[in-house]
Amino acid sequence: MKTGIIVGSNERSRLTYAAMTSVIISSMGDEVYVFLTMDAVKAFTKNPEVKNEDVSSKTMVEKKEEDYMSLFRKAKKSGKVKIYACSYASKLFNYTKDDYVDLVDEIAGITSFSMEVEGGQIISVW
């Protein structure tokens, strides 16, 4: 089975939810395709911009909970997870592939992402 996760926020709690979901689904042997769009792309640059405005995000920082990046790294170790940065959002913020951390496999459009996930389920995290 395939699962697509569309992430549109750079809020720590939402990024962590997407990362945990990727870990769980990929550990069950399913393919996961993560599509980072709008503000979410900011959280995957070499100088990440992450918001900690909600209570959950603040508590995660205070308690030094596992970071979304390390969770996505765990998920990617399965070999079942691909992460795409939205071409539109990348253009909007003037990001190139070199601006992103190594977790990002490529810059792609929503059409390419949709074709990858065809027949699977889609989860949106905004």
Side-chain angles (χ1 to χ4, degrees):
M1 189 166 140
K2 296 179 184 181
T3 299
I5 303 174
I6 300 172
V7 186
S9 171
N10 64 336
E11 183 70 45
R12 183 175 306 278
S13 61
R14 291 177 174 98
L15 294 165
T16 302
Y17 171 76
M20 284 194 271
T21 302
S22 296
V23 169
I24 292 164
I25 293 171
S26 64
S27 71
M28 294 187 303
D30 292 342
E31 296 175 29
V32 179
Y33 299 91
V34 180
F35 188 73
L36 309 169
T37 190
M38 298 311 177
D39 286 347
V41 296
K42 296 177 182 180
F44 288 82
T45 62
K46 292 177 181 165
N47 295 305
E49 183 181 320
V50 180
K51 291 182 182 176
N52 296 304
E53 296 174 2
D54 65 8
V55 173
S56 296
S57 295
K58 289 176 185 175
T59 304
M60 286 176 185
V61 171
E62 288 169 12
K63 291 189 172 193
K64 298 183 175 152
E65 292 293 321
E66 190 168 12
D67 187 75
Y68 70 95
M69 289 273 199
S70 64
L71 288 167
F72 272 120
R73 285 192 195 292
K74 279 183 185 178
K76 287 202 66 156
K77 283 182 183 176
S78 71
K80 301 269 185 187
V81 178
K82 290 222 173 205
I83 300 177
Y84 302 108
C86 172
S87 57
Y88 176 78
S90 296
K91 182 179 170 188
L92 189 66
F93 297 114
N94 295 315
Y95 294 151
T96 66
K97 177 74 169 89
D98 290 337
D99 293 311
Y100 292 111
V101 294
D102 62 337
L103 287 171
V104 175
D105 293 294
E106 63 184 91
I107 294 174
I110 190 72
T111 303
S112 298
F113 167 76
S114 297
M115 289 170 56
E116 288 279 2
V117 183
E118 187 174 3
Q121 67 175 346
I122 301 229
I123 300 167
S124 292
V125 183
W126 290 86

